[in-house]
Amino acid sequence: MKERNRKKPVRIVETAFRDAHQSLLATRMSTDQMLPIVEKMDRVGYHAVECWGGATFDTALRFLKEDPWVRLRRLREGFKHTKLQMLLRGQNLLGYSHYADDVVDYFCRKSVDNGIDNIRIMDCLNDIRNLKTAMKATQAEGGHAIVALVYTLGDAYTLDYWKEIARRIEDMGADELGLKDMAGLLTPYRAQELVQALKETVHIPVAVHTHYTAGVASMTYLKAVEAGCDSIDCAISPLALGTSQPATEVIAETFKNTPYDPGLNQALLGEIADYFSDIREEAMKTGLLSPKMLGVNIKTLQYQVPGGMLSNLVVQLKEAGQEDRYREVLEEIPRVRKDFGEPPLVTPSSQIVGTQAVLNVITGERYKMTTRESKRLLQGEFGQTVKQPDPDVKKKIIGDLPCISCRPADLIQPQLPQFEKECARWKQQEEDVLTYAMFPSVAEAYFKYREAQQTRIDLDVADTVHGVYPV
Ligand code: CO
């Protein structure tokens, strides 16, 4: 135990290429914007650079017309000393519903194969059965599996809950335990208490991830590191704060000349910050980066719901012409969450609970109207909730529909052969089937675009040849 709590340098994971631009720039940073600074980033001393997964895959294909696999390979070429990290939503991979094990296995293997070192794997219900296939596949390919717990508040989420589930994750064979506070709910002293408890429970390293949204995140990291946390996620200052992470340079400076000193090269960090400042300025000019995202949103802590969820509610109420009922919906959210077995509020459970709360308020009768997703959650199709859903509410919503208690993916037949068949017409590399499996229609549109580009280049070459050698 003593050894585990020994004061040691904290590892810094830089999020500029994933969470930071996902949080502030709608994930629109292109590979061409990333590559020029990679050589410097590689010399800073980061433990890892988070650069793939989450929304980056979808956005690259859909809006930037880029192949995410090509981006990964180019980053891998550039980062010769720094580990590359990605985020994966467990059995959902990068999508919103469960995949069969063959797809999960192949996706993780190909990610490692193309250059990912660390895969951070999470599940929206903290149902660890949904994390195991991805973890095993990552490790089988030689990758480092960080199994992450989604941090949330609620009656069920006692210190004992966190310790017990952390123990199960270690027993399952995870290389590292992650604490993923995507809503920025983790306050400094709570972090201290929680990290201490986790460090007393498991032997594997503990990584903490949080967001600056509520304004406490830098202090949260300070207390977490003092309590023995091994690794924290930060963003270079022009892409930090607001809904993003604490600033890398600030955190590095804070721990300077202490046993926690991450040993980052501050001069290089300054040059890297200059580079990203230009990208920030540009995004401010075009409106991609809204000043709204940069302030402190204390409501996140007051209502204990993610900031993104609050803005969704406003949109839904506006559409129904009932904006004045915002407060009622805010009060309804914790009640729905309780009825549904107190799930953490992250994608997709946050949307399910939020939408149901809106329906309950605007129809004037609780659960008079429900969504298909509410039904699926109560039927167990996302996995097990930490508590049993309220039996009366469950009866009212799903009636006699069947429920499952097994791991949802146990009921899904292998899917790869079908995906292979469907995308055969477009396939140019092995990874294409995975791109297609994640987002079939977006992938198809991208594949068509890619083919058209290639035809155009062929024609250009033909023109040039004809120009030089007139026939
Ligand atoms: Co995050």
Side-chain angles (χ1 to χ4, degrees):
M1 180 109 61
K2 236 188 194 140
E3 179 60 19
R4 263 184 274 165
N5 292 333
R6 184 176 52 90
K7 292 178 183 172
K8 59 193 177 314
V10 63
R11 303 166 176 171
I12 305 283
V13 176
E14 171 62 53
T15 66
F17 291 167
R18 208 284 296 175
D19 207 351
H21 81 114
Q22 182 172 330
S23 298
L24 294 180
L25 308 177
T27 335
R28 294 297 202 279
M29 205 191 293
S30 66
T31 307
D32 285 341
Q33 286 178 303
M34 296 175 181
L35 292 177
I37 197 64
V38 162
E39 190 271 332
K40 278 187 183 158
M41 288 174 73
D42 197 29
R43 288 189 283 128
V44 165
Y46 293 127
H47 172 65
V49 167
E50 192 194 42
C51 63
W52 217 59
T56 64
F57 200 99
D58 185 7
T59 316
L61 285 171
R62 195 188 297 262
F63 300 110
L64 305 173
K65 297 287 172 220
E66 279 190 26
D67 184 336
W69 297 97
V70 171
R71 173 183 297 181
L72 174 55
R73 292 194 282 263
R74 295 181 74 185
L75 289 173
R76 179 72 283 171
E77 265 170 39
F79 282 105
K80 300 188 176 3
H81 314 288
T82 313
K83 291 191 167 91
L84 298 184
Q85 186 165 312
M86 74 172 291
L87 175 70
L88 196 74
R89 286 196 288 268
Q91 205 73 24
N92 291 357
L93 297 174
L94 304 174
Y96 303 98
S97 55
H98 286 233
Y99 285 95
D101 284 337
D102 63 340
V103 181
V104 174
D105 184 81
Y106 195 49
F107 190 92
C108 293
R109 284 168 176 271
K110 277 291 176 194
S111 300
V112 175
D113 206 29
N114 277 277
I116 289 292
D117 298 286
N118 304 344
I119 305 190
R120 188 175 286 169
I121 309 157
M122 39 123 359
D123 175 65
C124 80
L125 300 182
N126 285 335
D127 182 340
I128 66 173
R129 298 172 306 171
N130 295 335
L131 302 166
K132 195 171 180 176
T133 303
M135 182 194 84
K136 292 280 179 207
T138 301
Q139 293 170 332
E141 203 62 30
H144 177 87
I146 307 168
V147 176
L149 287 170
V150 169
Y151 180 71
T152 189
L153 298 160
D155 294 343
Y157 301 92
T158 59
L159 221 45
D160 284 338
Y161 164 84
W162 296 113
K163 283 158 77 170
E164 170 57 25
I165 196 160
R167 191 175 295 122
R168 283 166 57 206
I169 286 173
E170 184 173 51
D171 289 346
M172 184 168 77
D175 299 308
E176 187 169 337
L177 175 70
L179 189 60
K180 194 170 167 55
D181 175 26
M182 43 225 312
L185 300 176
L186 192 58
T187 50
Y189 288 97
R190 204 175 277 134
Q192 180 181 34
E193 180 186 53
L194 184 50
V195 170
Q196 221 155 29
L198 294 175
K199 289 298 288 184
E200 282 166 16
T201 308
V202 299
H203 295 79
I204 50 178
V206 175
V208 176
H209 171 94
T210 189
H211 286 257
Y212 207 82
T213 323
V216 296
S218 295
M219 295 180 275
T220 299
Y221 278 166
L222 182 63
K223 296 314 268 181
V225 169
E226 285 175 357
C229 150
D230 299 85
S231 162
I232 50 178
D233 291 0
C234 302
I236 193 81
S237 57
L239 298 179
L241 311 189
T243 49
S244 177
Q245 271 82 45
T248 310
E249 306 95 302
V250 174
I251 297 293
E253 197 61 33
T254 299
F255 293 122
K256 207 167 184 172
N257 300 325
T258 74
Y260 312 112
D261 192 342
L264 302 190
N265 182 330
Q266 283 282 14
L268 263 182
L269 283 178
E271 292 175 35
I272 294 163
D274 287 344
Y275 178 82
F276 284 109
S277 288
D278 293 345
I279 291 177
R280 177 191 168 100
E281 288 302 310
E282 185 60 32
M284 283 281 204
K285 252 183 241 155
T286 60
L288 182 61
L289 174 55
S290 152
K292 261 193 199 159
M293 320 245 228
L294 298 171
V296 167
N297 183 358
I298 199 67
K299 283 184 183 151
T300 307
L301 286 184
Q302 278 165 356
Y303 304 122
Q304 301 181 358
V305 295
M309 191 176 159
L310 292 175
S311 42
N312 268 345
L313 295 180
V314 174
V315 173
Q316 287 178 338
L317 283 172
K318 221 177 218 169
E319 278 169 4
Q322 306 211 23
E323 288 140 287
D324 52 326
R325 310 192 72 180
Y326 183 64
R327 184 156 291 277
E328 281 174 75
V329 173
L330 281 179
E331 285 162 6
E332 177 67 0
I333 287 172
R335 289 194 288 260
V336 173
R337 188 177 169 225
K338 274 252 158 70
D339 291 342
F340 282 10
E342 211 168 33
L345 296 177
V346 300
T347 306
S349 57
S350 50
Q351 283 89 330
I352 300 172
V353 169
T355 304
Q356 189 60 56
V358 169
L359 289 174
N360 286 1
V361 167
I362 63 178
T363 59
E365 184 189 328
R366 305 189 76 220
Y367 307 115
K368 182 180 174 184
M369 253 174 87
T370 58
T371 62
R372 186 177 136 61
E373 297 301 289
S374 286
K375 289 195 177 78
R376 289 185 59 217
L377 181 68
L378 292 172
Q379 285 175 279
E381 286 186 23
F382 290 91
Q384 206 170 34
T385 45
V386 58
K387 281 185 175 173
Q388 287 298 319
D390 180 274
D392 296 334
V393 169
K394 189 170 166 181
K395 179 103 188 115
K396 180 159 185 187
I397 294 181
I398 65 170
D400 297 324
L401 288 173
C403 288
I404 63 166
S405 58
C406 64
R407 184 183 70 116
D410 286 341
L411 303 174
I412 310 174
Q413 294 301 314
Q415 294 169 317
L416 270 181
Q418 181 61 26
F419 285 135
E420 287 281 12
K421 215 185 278 170
E422 288 172 23
C423 78
R425 152 80 183 79
W426 308 103
K427 197 169 164 181
Q428 296 188 2
Q429 59 176 348
E430 286 178 348
E431 291 80 2
D432 283 349
V433 68
L434 293 166
T435 305
Y436 180 80
M438 292 307 103
F439 309 101
S441 58
V442 178
E444 203 170 313
Y446 170 75
F447 293 153
K448 276 181 195 160
Y449 167 85
R450 179 174 69 182
E451 214 170 81
Q453 288 295 101
Q454 287 159 346
T455 316
R456 199 167 306 143
I457 289 165
D458 286 348
L459 287 175
D460 285 351
V461 170
D463 277 355
T464 315
V465 169
H466 282 260
V468 176
Y469 303 107
V471 282

